[in-house]
Amino acid sequence: MVLETFSQPQKNLGITLLSQRELDKMRRVGKLAANLLDYLESMVKPGISTQELNDRAARWMRDRGAIAATLGYAPPGHPPFTGSICTSINEVVCHGIPSRNQILQDGDIINIDVTPILDGYHGDTSRTFLVGNVSQQARKLVQVTEESMLRGIAEIKPGARVGDIGAAIQKYAEANGFSVVRELTGHGVGRKFHTKPEIPHFGRPGKGLKLRTGMVFTVEPMINQGTRHLKFLKDGWTVITRDRQLSAQFEHTVAVTETGFEILTVS
Ligand code: MF3
Ligand code: CO
Ligand code: CO
């Protein structure tokens, strides 16, 4: 007697394929994550601290029965993360830690990355926001980064390859004079925060793992204004550009469907 069509042990190269029931849960948490970014966007203004954004996000998630996957997150080699969100300003590439003495300034760009857990499932999404009046070059970086993510996602369908995603992102970013971060990738997501497969944001068409219906992963390119090279700070988390030029990032959680893809982190 089949009571559950859910959490099935169906695996492919160790990659979990989600059932319709699990996808429903991912849709729910994905929408929650996107709604949280909408809420935080309304507070992004010169003068607010990243701690205040963090605290508002923590309360917002708690009020909706969700918890922040980032709080206390401690993969091997990292101390526990102290934020309920990541806040990455200007030359910070990702994993910026919210802090009382970090105040948004006119002209900054800030990526806010949120990962609520609802009913056991993770929704992982981020956007880069403009703070007040931002230079033309920085605005172009942000626009190109979002478009590169969307072009990567547009490659997703059963039978396509992971390399198709990365190649589309890299081609568009580099054609616009920017560089693609290589050390950090998209990742499988579901009951776990970070799982297989890895999704590089660079690559060659037709290469890499073949996509299958039911795979769920993030696409989250980090695009730099200068060189692609990074510096990992001693706090164990913050990643900055080696040349201190700007970096932007956008992230969606996406499912591979029978006909193509479904973006799960939409508000
Ligand atoms: N949300 C990030 C990602 O896209 C991971 C943040 S982990 C943290 O994968 F500990 F830095 F919060
Ligand atoms: Co994220
Ligand atoms: Co992610």
Side-chain angles (χ1 to χ4, degrees):
M1 186 167 56
V2 178
L3 297 172
E4 294 282 22
T5 55
F6 146 68
S7 267
Q8 84 292 33
Q10 187 185 1
K11 299 236 176 178
N12 168 260
L13 303 164
I15 296 162
T16 303
L17 304 176
L18 272 65
S19 65
Q20 279 307 320
R21 176 152 177 194
E22 290 172 300
L23 277 177
D24 268 340
K25 291 179 187 269
M26 287 299 290
R27 278 186 197 102
R28 216 163 296 145
V29 70
K31 184 174 184 169
L32 187 83
N35 288 344
L36 173 54
L37 285 182
D38 290 350
Y39 169 66
L40 293 172
E41 178 173 27
S42 70
M43 289 183 306
V44 169
K45 291 195 177 71
I48 194 169
S49 73
T50 53
Q51 187 67 51
E52 191 166 342
L53 292 169
N54 178 84
D55 296 350
R56 297 281 198 144
R59 174 184 296 258
W60 191 97
M61 285 186 263
R62 186 165 2 99
D63 287 349
R64 287 156 184 80
I67 58 169
T70 56
L71 189 61
Y73 185 60
H78 296 264
F81 193 80
T82 54
S84 294
I85 59 176
C86 296
T87 50
S88 302
I89 301 173
N90 295 338
E91 74 280 4
V92 179
V93 172
C94 64
H95 304 164
I97 305 166
S99 158
R100 291 243 166 269
N101 42 41
Q102 195 168 63
I103 312 289
L104 299 192
Q105 309 286 323
D106 188 62
D108 284 347
I109 60 171
I110 178 175
N111 175 276
I112 303 181
D113 192 336
V114 303
T115 311
I117 307 170
L118 188 71
D119 204 5
Y121 288 81
H122 295 71
D124 190 3
T125 185
S126 83
R127 300 178 203 147
T128 299
F129 300 115
L130 309 177
V131 183
N133 295 303
V134 170
S135 73
Q136 176 58 42
Q137 248 300 93
R139 291 202 314 263
K140 184 187 169 197
L141 174 68
V142 172
Q143 283 165 7
V144 167
T145 303
E146 183 169 24
E147 177 67 19
S148 75
M149 173 193 66
L150 294 172
R151 288 182 180 220
I153 291 170
E155 297 292 323
I156 297 171
K157 61 182 180 192
R161 302 274 180 162
V162 160
D164 298 334
I165 301 170
I169 292 167
Q170 182 180 15
K171 184 175 171 194
Y172 187 72
E174 291 180 354
N176 280 281
F178 300 129
S179 64
V180 178
V181 168
R182 302 204 176 189
E183 291 85 341
L184 299 139
T185 66
H187 52 89
V189 63
R191 281 196 167 276
K192 291 191 182 151
F193 192 175
H194 293 109
T195 183
K196 290 199 278 186
E198 268 188 15
I199 311 291
H201 304 111
F202 61 94
R204 304 208 352 217
K207 300 287 181 188
L209 178 78
K210 197 181 273 189
L211 303 182
R212 286 188 55 181
T213 303
M215 287 182 181
V216 176
F217 50 80
T218 71
V219 179
E220 50 178 304
M222 288 141 276
I223 305 297
N224 294 354
Q225 198 169 36
T227 75
R228 68 177 180 81
H229 299 289
L230 308 179
K231 186 177 156 84
F232 294 81
L233 298 192
K234 299 231 166 64
D235 63 19
W237 279 107
T238 311
V239 182
I240 67 172
T241 57
R242 202 173 71 182
D243 61 13
R244 309 297 199 273
Q245 293 201 69
L246 298 176
S247 185
Q249 182 179 23
F250 283 80
E251 175 176 23
H252 273 310
T253 298
V254 184
V256 183
T257 64
E258 274 170 29
T259 53
F261 63 88
E262 178 180 345
I263 300 177
L264 300 172
T265 40
V266 286
S267 44

